Amino acid sequence: MTENDLRLALDKLADDGRRIDFWLRDDDAVEPTEQLAKLATLTDAFSVPATLAVIPEKTGADLASYLDTQPHLDVAVHGWSHRNYAGAGEKKQELGSHRPLPDIVSELKAGFDKLAALHAPRFVPMLVPPWNRIAPEMIEALPELGFAALSTFGPEKTAPVAMLNSHVDIMDWHGTRGGRPAADLIAETIALIEAPDRAPVIGVLGHHLVHDDSAWHFLDLLFGVTADHPACRWRSARVLLGL
């Protein structure tokens, strides 16, 4: 699949009088880096808003000062420490059932309050669980902590808060740990666009700190095809959630 195939899929969507929204989530932000600056520059060039999932324990005023200069970047809560508490042989989790619920709730409240104070102009009360995994009992506790939304990976499920998921992960975590091939990502995106039960929003997931040339190339290609196409819009999480 090529960028022309993606353009043709969007052309058909436009011909049918339909439109789809995209949103960009980028995980593991902590501080200003060259990689974050590259993401900010690239997204700004195409007028693409993005939501950074920020790790509260590890971040501080430096990131807040930098983001004051990047009004198209918002901030969501990425757990507390991004520490794995799962046992050997289990999938990694920070917000699983491996610790007492009150301990997790306390950390998430601290993370919420810290980021809300540091990033008041751009703070989105949305939880992004590290590794996209969270125990059901933790989800039930989110409203009382002030969270209005939850973002994981894959099809959205029913929850006591709004769900705004990512659906296309550009990273090859189980192989090269770099960017996945553009042809595969384009095919995945087209399949979502053409699905009979097509969701109105497609979430693209990046991790700027580990992007290689392939990852940056795909984002540049994707933005180039979609940014000005009449069949789609890039929206912020804040706008999509009505916050």
Side-chain angles (χ1 to χ4, degrees), residues 138-160:
M138 193 62 248
I139 297 176
E140 295 300 318
L142 295 182
E144 66 188 60
L145 296 176
F147 287 101
L150 173 66
S151 180
T152 59
F153 185 82
E156 284 80 0
K157 299 177 181 178
T158 301

Side-chain angles (χ1 to χ4, degrees), residues 132-180:
N132 292 299
R133 301 184 184 108
I134 182 170
E137 60 269 26
M138 193 62 248
I139 297 176
E140 295 300 318
L142 295 182
E144 66 188 60
L145 296 176
F147 287 101
L150 173 66
S151 180
T152 59
F153 185 82
E156 284 80 0
K157 299 177 181 178
T158 301
V161 294
M163 292 288 298
L164 184 62
N165 281 0
S166 54
H167 309 96
V168 178
D169 188 343
I170 72 172
M171 302 303 296
D172 180 13
W173 297 112
H174 302 294
T176 65
R177 299 191 70 81
R180 295 171 57 204

Side-chain angles (χ1 to χ4, degrees), residues 84-94 96 98 130-131 133 174:
N84 175 35
Y85 292 95
E90 293 183 273
K91 292 183 177 180
K92 293 180 178 179
Q93 289 192 66
E94 178 184 348
H98 308 87
W131 300 288
R133 301 184 184 108
H174 302 294

Side-chain angles (χ1 to χ4, degrees), residues 49-221:
T51 298
L52 302 177
V54 175
I55 304 171
E57 183 187 46
K58 303 175 183 179
T59 197
D62 287 350
L63 180 63
S65 296
Y66 173 72
L67 292 182
D68 282 340
T69 70
Q70 306 295 329
H72 65 299
L73 301 182
D74 283 335
V75 164
V77 183
H78 201 28
W80 166 248
S81 63
H82 210 298
R83 188 172 292 116
N84 175 35
Y85 292 95
E90 293 183 273
K91 292 183 177 180
K92 293 180 178 179
Q93 289 192 66
E94 178 184 348
L95 307 179
S97 303
H98 308 87
R99 298 184 292 154
L101 183 61
D103 292 354
I104 305 174
V105 167
S106 177
E107 288 183 351
L108 281 186
K109 180 60 176 171
F112 184 105
D113 291 346
K114 181 177 181 178
L115 294 188
L118 283 170
H119 299 282
R122 60 194 153 263
F123 179 69
V124 180
M126 179 171 71
L127 176 64
V128 179
W131 300 288
N132 292 299
R133 301 184 184 108
I134 182 170
E137 60 269 26
M138 193 62 248
I139 297 176
E140 295 300 318
L142 295 182
E144 66 188 60
L145 296 176
F147 287 101
L150 173 66
S151 180
T152 59
F153 185 82
E156 284 80 0
K157 299 177 181 178
T158 301
V161 294
M163 292 288 298
L164 184 62
N165 281 0
S166 54
H167 309 96
V168 178
D169 188 343
I170 72 172
M171 302 303 296
D172 180 13
W173 297 112
H174 302 294
T176 65
R177 299 191 70 81
R180 295 171 57 204
D184 293 351
L185 291 166
I186 290 170
E188 211 167 277
T189 304
I190 291 173
L192 289 168
I193 292 171
E194 296 179 343
D197 54 348
R198 178 181 58 85
V201 179
I202 295 174
V204 178
L205 175 58
H207 285 74
H208 65 277
L209 290 172
V210 292
H211 285 182
D212 60 1
D213 288 346
S214 293
W216 291 119
H217 167 72
F218 174 73
L219 288 179
D220 185 70
L221 179 158

Side-chain angles (χ1 to χ4, degrees), residues 1-23 167-168 184-204 218 221-222 225-227 229-234:
M1 290 284 184
T2 68
E3 60 187 285
N4 191 54
D5 294 308
L6 177 58
R7 190 172 286 108
L8 290 173
L10 291 172
D11 289 346
K12 184 176 186 307
L13 203 64
D15 291 343
D16 292 342
R18 296 184 294 154
R19 183 166 61 178
I20 196 162
D21 286 338
F22 286 85
W23 81 287
H167 309 96
V168 178
D184 293 351
L185 291 166
I186 290 170
E188 211 167 277
T189 304
I190 291 173
L192 289 168
I193 292 171
E194 296 179 343
D197 54 348
R198 178 181 58 85
V201 179
I202 295 174
V204 178
F218 174 73
L221 179 158
L222 180 65
V225 172
T226 58
H229 198 286
C232 53
R233 300 176 298 184
W234 282 93

